[in-house]
Amino acid sequence: MSGSQCCENPPELSSSSGTGSIELVGGLKTYVTGSSQSNRAIILISDVFGYEAPNLRYATLLLSRMLQTVFEKLADKVAAAGYYVVVPDFLNGDPYAPENSERPIQVWMKSHGTDKGFEDAKLVITGLRSKGISVIGAAGFCWGAKVVVELGKSDWIQAAVLLHPSLVTVDDIKELKAPIAILGAETDKISPPELLKQFEEVLSTKPEVNGYVKIFPGVAHGWTVRYKVEDENAIKSAKEAHQNMLDWFNKYVKEKSAL
């Protein structure tokens, strides 16, 4: 996590980006979108820049809208259900600020450990289940990937996606129980392809856990949410990763909720 890639290309944070709303879920300020009547939910857990990153909110909106399109093809005049998608503020209004030279990432992390994120995530899940949601998937970006992998070691979630993960170890993968998709970058000093291939080797020894590793060529750590909007190749790769994430949740969250 001490590598500079986690902190490169910071987004311009905006509390007004996206078309969803801000609510309290599990005691945390949370951006929500999609159908609140759904029995399935997706939690997106941000990187160190927090839940107000516009591209993360766009990915959230894309996820809920694409699923609604699928369900609009069902019975006559029945509205699409879609996922209830939540992006909690696990950083409690204190995202990493690279311009603050007095608080480098190593110092900032002391106040924002992923162990605290894991405990907060359990509160969020408890809050979702109190709403009648029975099947939950989670996707973690960089810092958030560690929180997701901890959730995936038990029955807190039914599916996991890691996008350019940080802090995740081989031992973490050995303890996984939830189906997992790991989407990494070709240029990544934090979770380099060599480490991701070790994850893949571990998954190959765990037939009881469905999972795969995919390494995207020509992109760097953080590309799925911190791409530059004028970079067409970056946008194309980000959209491909978003679709991979959606496909995974369709398979392991959507299908399970229909049983």
Side-chain angles (χ1 to χ4, degrees):
M1 192 71 183
S2 59
S4 63
Q5 279 187 312
C6 269
C7 314
E8 291 176 354
N9 192 28
E12 294 183 8
L13 303 184
S14 171
S15 60
S16 61
S17 62
T19 62
S21 60
I22 303 297
E23 300 179 10
L24 284 178
V25 180
L28 293 183
K29 189 177 179 182
T30 301
Y31 178 79
V32 304
T33 187
S35 174
S36 60
Q37 303 303 312
S38 177
N39 68 336
R40 52 183 173 264
I42 302 299
I43 306 170
L44 300 185
I45 305 181
S46 74
D47 58 14
V48 297
F49 295 109
Y51 85 135
E52 291 184 347
N55 288 344
L56 181 59
R57 290 194 175 183
Y58 172 74
T60 309
L61 181 63
L62 175 67
L63 183 62
S64 61
R65 280 184 173 174
M66 290 179 76
L67 284 164
Q68 287 174 0
T69 299
V70 172
F71 289 104
E72 284 170 357
K73 297 179 181 178
L74 297 176
D76 184 36
K77 296 185 179 181
V78 177
Y83 289 133
Y84 185 59
V85 187
V86 300
V87 190
D89 181 12
F90 287 105
L91 306 182
N92 297 302
D94 184 34
Y96 173 64
E99 68 276 9
N100 185 353
S101 60
E102 295 182 358
R103 201 183 185 201
I105 188 66
Q106 296 89 342
V107 175
W108 179 89
M109 280 289 292
K110 292 179 180 179
S111 301
H112 298 289
T114 53
D115 52 347
K116 176 63 163 55
F118 174 47
E119 294 303 318
D120 285 343
K122 290 190 287 186
L123 295 176
V124 169
I125 291 171
T126 299
L128 291 173
R129 288 177 175 165
S130 72
K131 296 176 181 288
I133 292 170
S134 57
V135 186
I136 299 172
F141 305 77
C142 187
W143 179 95
K146 179 67 170 182
V147 178
V148 169
V149 85
E150 292 297 331
L151 293 171
K153 293 177 183 179
S154 63
D155 61 355
W156 284 105
I157 57 174
Q158 286 64 61
V161 179
L162 310 185
L163 302 97
H164 37 87
S166 179
L167 305 170
V168 178
T169 67
V170 170
D171 286 339
D172 287 326
I173 303 302
K174 289 179 180 178
E175 296 180 46
L176 274 172
K177 294 183 178 179
I180 188 165
I182 303 173
L183 310 178
E186 180 182 34
T187 305
D188 195 329
K189 297 177 182 178
I190 298 161
S191 290
E194 294 78 14
L195 177 60
L196 299 185
K197 289 176 181 177
Q198 290 181 50
F199 294 171
E200 187 173 42
E201 291 174 2
V202 171
L203 288 173
S204 70
T205 67
K206 294 172 65 70
E208 73 281 8
V209 176
N210 291 323
Y212 75 92
V213 172
K214 180 176 179 179
I215 299 172
F216 285 72
V219 295
H221 182 89
W223 94 96
T224 66
V225 288
R226 300 208 302 269
Y227 55 82
K228 295 180 180 179
V229 294
E230 67 273 13
D231 188 337
E232 293 184 1
N233 289 331
I235 292 174
K236 181 179 178 181
S237 290
K239 286 184 176 180
E240 182 180 345
H242 295 164
Q243 184 62 51
N244 292 158
M245 176 181 69
L246 176 62
D247 291 343
W248 196 251
F249 289 141
N250 280 344
K251 184 174 182 179
Y252 291 102
V253 176
K254 174 186 166 186
E255 292 184 3
K256 186 166 184 177
S257 69
L259 297 177

